[in-house]
Amino acid sequence: MHALYRELGGSIFRKSCRSRLWPLTRYRYPIEPLREGLHGALGDVTLGDLWSDQGGIDLVITAFDLVEQRTRFIKPWKPKYADWPLATAVLASCAVPTFFPVIEGRYVDGGVGSYANPCYLAAYEIAFCLGWDPAETTLISLGTGRAPHSLQMGEADKLRPWQWLAPVLDAFGSSAHDQQVHLVETFFGELDFRRFQVDLETPIAMDDASMLDEIERYGELLGQKLLTDELDEAQFVTAPPAPTYRLPEPTVPAEREPARASSLPLWIIMGGSVIGLWRQLRKR
């Protein structure tokens, strides 16, 4: 993955007249370099190849369907997606509006909606689709960096109508990330859930390939947090109960024989393009 980012970053986000003329153009970058890169890495593997009657690799790829106005949950065990090339599913999930064209006339980035952080989706998949015991499952969620606050007190009073787009989208994305973490903590209390995140010192544009060294540095920091089990602060956010709310009586959990670490089901959810993490883990 690290090599793929290094190899393709500059070619996918190559500056051109199209990118410089945006928003006079419909999107900034052609999709062909990304399509070719994914095909080179994934080949002709279909989603159905990842699954058999005896089980296989469970994978959930989200893409937003503009025609039906809903999120598509693309999984290898769903018959309607079995013939989909894996590269096409990933391409649809990567097609960020305004950066890349729409895929097949209908699909864009799965982060459009509430799934920019898919940890709640993963917890639901574990408990209600796969039937795994949450108490015997570890869910690891990797963030892609929390951007610093961009507005100071009073600056919003001076924004023009067209200047509201960026702060509104940033607020939506940041709130959605932390809300998904809080939902998992609230409704899947038995799940061994661990969210790791890094705070960015300065904003990094998603199409700035010149920042790969800096992104890799953040990936190293994220790897250190994973190895030391330093969880994201969003996991500890709680809503205070109303004064009239009566707390339920605590229940004593049933004793169970601890499972060996190697036997625990494990889900790892990557929120996006953090690199450097794999190299950090390999050092250990």
Side-chain angles (χ1 to χ4, degrees):
M1 182 182 293
H2 176 270
L4 194 65
Y5 271 96
R6 283 293 186 183
E7 178 183 350
L8 299 178
S11 61
I12 292 173
F13 297 112
R14 188 184 304 278
K15 303 300 180 182
S16 65
C17 291
R18 172 184 292 278
S19 61
R20 294 186 179 94
L21 288 175
W22 189 87
L24 298 179
T25 57
R26 292 193 299 274
Y27 51 87
R28 295 174 174 90
Y29 305 102
I31 201 66
E32 284 72 22
L34 179 56
R35 189 194 306 273
E36 293 171 2
L38 289 173
H39 187 269
L42 302 174
D44 297 320
V45 175
T46 65
L47 285 164
D49 293 334
L50 305 179
W51 196 263
S52 67
D53 293 337
Q54 288 73 41
I57 300 174
D58 187 50
L59 176 70
V60 184
I61 299 175
T62 60
F64 193 80
D65 188 335
L66 293 170
V67 175
E68 298 186 9
Q69 283 291 296
R70 66 183 180 94
T71 299
R72 293 286 193 119
F73 302 101
I74 304 168
K75 307 177 186 183
W77 49 266
K78 285 187 174 181
K80 61 182 176 181
Y81 298 122
D83 294 332
W84 274 43
L86 180 58
T88 299
V90 175
L91 188 69
S93 188
C94 292
V96 180
T98 77
F99 285 89
F100 297 110
V102 177
I103 305 301
E104 297 184 1
R106 65 191 305 168
Y107 301 117
V108 294
D109 177 22
V112 175
S114 299
Y115 300 100
N117 175 3
C119 62
Y120 182 72
L121 167 63
Y124 187 95
E125 181 81 7
I126 288 168
F128 298 108
C129 296
L130 297 176
W132 293 356
D133 181 358
E136 296 291 336
T137 305
T138 296
L139 172 60
I140 297 177
S141 175
L142 305 179
T144 57
R146 182 180 287 110
H149 300 300
S150 58
L151 289 177
Q152 301 300 320
M153 182 72 73
E155 289 183 351
D157 296 334
K158 304 174 183 178
L159 292 180
R160 301 294 182 183
W162 59 87
Q163 294 175 315
W164 276 100
L165 182 60
V168 167
L169 291 177
D170 288 344
F172 171 78
S174 297
S175 296
H177 287 174
D178 293 345
Q179 286 168 5
Q180 301 300 302
V181 173
H182 184 63
L183 286 172
V184 175
E185 286 289 339
T186 302
F187 297 110
F188 296 91
E190 291 187 342
L191 183 65
D192 179 22
F193 173 53
R194 306 182 189 198
R195 168 75 172 177
F196 300 94
Q197 180 65 288
V198 290
D199 293 317
L200 305 182
E201 297 168 7
T202 57
I204 299 177
M206 64 163 288
D207 60 339
D208 189 354
S210 68
M211 295 295 289
L212 282 175
D213 287 339
E214 185 70 357
I215 295 174
E216 185 170 325
R217 182 177 72 84
Y218 283 120
E220 297 276 356
L221 292 175
L222 187 67
Q224 286 286 353
K225 288 177 179 289
L226 186 63
L227 293 171
T228 58
D229 205 27
E230 183 181 340
L231 302 179
D232 181 25
E233 59 187 21
Q235 278 199 242
F236 307 102
V237 174
T238 58
T244 56
Y245 178 73
R246 296 181 61 183
L247 293 174
E249 294 293 330
T251 58
V252 179
E255 294 186 3
R256 62 170 71 239
E257 181 181 351
R260 293 178 294 106
S262 60
S263 69
L264 294 179
L266 175 68
W267 258 64
I268 298 181
I269 302 300
M270 297 193 67
S273 55
V274 171
I275 60 177
L277 173 65
W278 176 245
R279 296 199 319 165
Q280 182 63 252
L281 294 178
R282 290 188 65 184
K283 292 178 182 178
R284 299 301 176 99

